Amino acid sequence: MLSSDQDDLRLLRESARTLFERAGGSGRARKLRDAGGTWDPEMVRELAAAGVLGVTVPEVNGGLGMGLAAAGVIAEEVGRVLAPEPVVMTVGLSLGLLRRLCPDHPRVAQLISGDTVLAVAWQERGAGGAPGDAACRYADGKLTGSKAWVVGAPGSQGFLVVAEGADGPVLALTEATANGCSVDQRVQADGSAMGELSFSATPAEELARGNAVTEALSDAISDTTALAAAELVGLSDRAFEITLDYIKTREQFDKPIGSFQVLQHRAVDLNVMREVAQAGVREVLARMDCETDPGVRKRLASRAKARAVTAAKKITRDAVQLHGAVGYTDEFDIGLYLNRALVLSAWLGDDAYHRRMWFKAREQEGAA
């Protein structure tokens, strides 16, 4: 990476960090959680004004055109303060789909400006609660069926829905207030909300159809998976800082507990894990910016998510233990980081899932 690019990323990081700290840092996340698990629309507009939401969109379409490496910097800062705003969802999924399929659609500009938030619905619940085959249908300008695990559904103004049409997959846009559309809110472990969508002859606009929809969705999911890994890296970084500050000041037997060698060794181990995950995820994002092969991009994203999830779960769980009994109380912020790590780890596949995907891809590559 050129030094000029590194300077751009450093300035972007400083700008995003200043914006989040001015808004209230992690304390704001607690307040919004207690208020019902939604986000602040004004904060979305502030982020948009800073260019955050359009960071991966080409300049010709109104974005910054800085790529995934820059988006990863923003995702890390989102993770550090547990910001509930749908930054990764918008950058990776919503704009990831639209900039690939219909970059000139008016909703692209609205998403970049923060005037609207669109959640993406592509998964469906099958028998027994596991993911199932697509059954949601699009015909004659209307949607019928349901979608599950829609992150950001409560609070979004509309939905980008991947449904089955007469001759293949269709990407359709429907408003949250459209007739026949209902959202069943589900609260997650960290207090954030996702939704289950139901459509009953709901009016919708067709944006794209055919194999292009499947390919764009796969690429957008790869982007979002890697960005979720970056968010976990930022979360781990801040959780480690909080814990380090605590063991330096918490006293036992008239001395800081951080002076005990056994705790120093644990802290060093966590720091090594944190730095390895950070370096690995940043490398993946930079490589994905230069990679066009969908299979390779998917494998890189799996590598990043597996590494980041393993590190985040270990760091946050150990952080709670190093806080002692108070770490299990809601009064201390470290519990917020653990809960957020668990939710982010499960989203788009945990470490075990992505290790399987990575090894499967490597085997297929070797066979070829």
Side-chain angles (χ1 to χ4, degrees):
M1 186 177 292
L2 299 175
S3 59
S4 59
D5 294 332
Q6 292 175 335
D7 287 340
D8 288 342
L9 294 183
R10 178 181 56 81
L11 291 172
L12 182 64
R13 183 182 302 279
E14 291 175 356
S15 176
R17 185 168 299 186
T18 299
L19 186 60
F20 282 124
E21 287 177 352
R22 189 172 66 241
S26 59
R28 186 175 66 90
R30 181 188 293 276
K31 292 178 182 178
L32 291 172
R33 180 206 64 177
D34 294 342
T38 57
W39 61 77
D40 180 5
E42 184 57 37
M43 186 62 186
V44 173
R45 286 187 283 271
E46 285 190 38
L47 290 167
V52 165
L53 301 181
V55 68
T56 61
V57 178
E59 292 183 65
V60 68
N61 300 120
L64 297 180
M66 295 179 70
L68 279 181
V73 166
I74 294 167
E76 285 186 29
E77 296 306 312
V78 169
R80 283 182 61 86
V81 297
L82 307 175
E85 281 70 34
V87 175
V88 169
M89 180 194 80
T90 299
V91 173
L93 282 176
S94 306
L95 284 169
L97 278 173
L98 293 182
R99 68 182 172 86
R100 289 178 170 93
L101 294 171
C102 43
D104 297 322
H105 195 280
R107 288 303 178 100
V108 172
Q110 293 174 8
L111 283 168
I112 292 173
S113 66
D115 291 335
T116 190
V117 174
L118 300 177
V120 178
W122 80 94
Q123 295 173 297
E124 297 185 25
R125 192 184 299 276
D133 296 332
C136 183
R137 299 291 172 180
Y138 175 83
D140 301 323
K142 295 182 179 180
L143 287 166
T144 301
S146 61
K147 289 291 179 180
W149 306 296
V150 183
V151 171
S156 293
Q157 284 77 47
F159 306 108
L160 295 170
V161 183
V162 178
E164 289 297 309
D167 53 356
V170 173
L171 179 67
L173 169 65
T174 186
E175 304 298 327
T177 56
N179 290 334
C181 176
S182 64
V183 181
D184 182 12
Q185 181 171 322
R186 306 291 176 88
V187 179
Q188 303 183 93
D190 64 343
S192 63
M194 64 166 51
E196 304 273 323
L197 306 183
S198 295
F199 305 109
S200 179
T202 303
E205 173 191 358
E206 180 181 326
L207 301 181
R209 68 168 50 242
N211 290 334
V213 173
T214 304
E215 293 168 1
L217 177 62
S218 178
D219 242 4
I221 290 174
S222 294
D223 288 354
T224 311
T225 299
L227 291 177
E231 187 173 348
L232 282 165
V233 162
L235 181 155
S236 301
D237 192 45
R238 183 56 186 151
F240 179 74
E241 288 178 5
I242 291 172
T243 305
L244 207 58
D245 289 341
Y246 182 80
I247 65 175
K248 285 179 179 178
T249 55
R250 172 74 168 90
E251 291 191 356
Q252 194 170 15
F253 307 117
D254 297 324
K255 61 176 64 176
I257 61 175
S259 65
F260 302 146
Q261 194 173 59
V262 65
L263 296 189
Q264 292 176 1
H265 288 171
R266 289 185 69 178
V268 168
D269 289 343
L270 295 179
N271 187 44
V272 169
M273 180 173 279
R274 177 188 66 86
E275 291 194 352
V276 169
Q278 182 184 86
V281 171
R282 290 178 180 178
E283 181 204 356
V284 162
L285 289 167
R287 288 183 61 184
M288 288 178 71
D289 273 333
C290 306
E291 183 58 64
T292 57
D293 187 316
V296 175
R297 298 183 85 254
K298 183 181 292 186
R299 189 175 75 236
L300 287 169
S302 288
R303 185 182 117 190
K305 186 76 187 298
R307 176 74 72 178
V309 169
T310 300
K313 289 196 295 190
K314 174 64 174 175
I315 290 169
T316 53
R317 286 169 174 167
D318 278 22
V320 169
Q321 290 182 354
L322 289 169
H323 274 73
V326 296
Y328 291 87
T329 67
D330 193 53
E331 179 185 354
F332 279 68
D333 284 349
I334 197 62
L336 301 179
Y337 284 83
L338 172 60
N339 287 333
R340 182 60 181 160
L342 294 175
V343 169
L344 269 179
S345 296
W347 187 40
L348 302 175
D350 63 5
D351 47 346
Y353 170 82
H354 282 290
R355 284 194 188 92
R356 288 198 302 272
M357 293 300 101
W358 189 87
F359 280 114
K360 182 178 179 181
R362 292 290 292 179
E363 289 174 359
Q364 291 174 344
E365 183 181 291

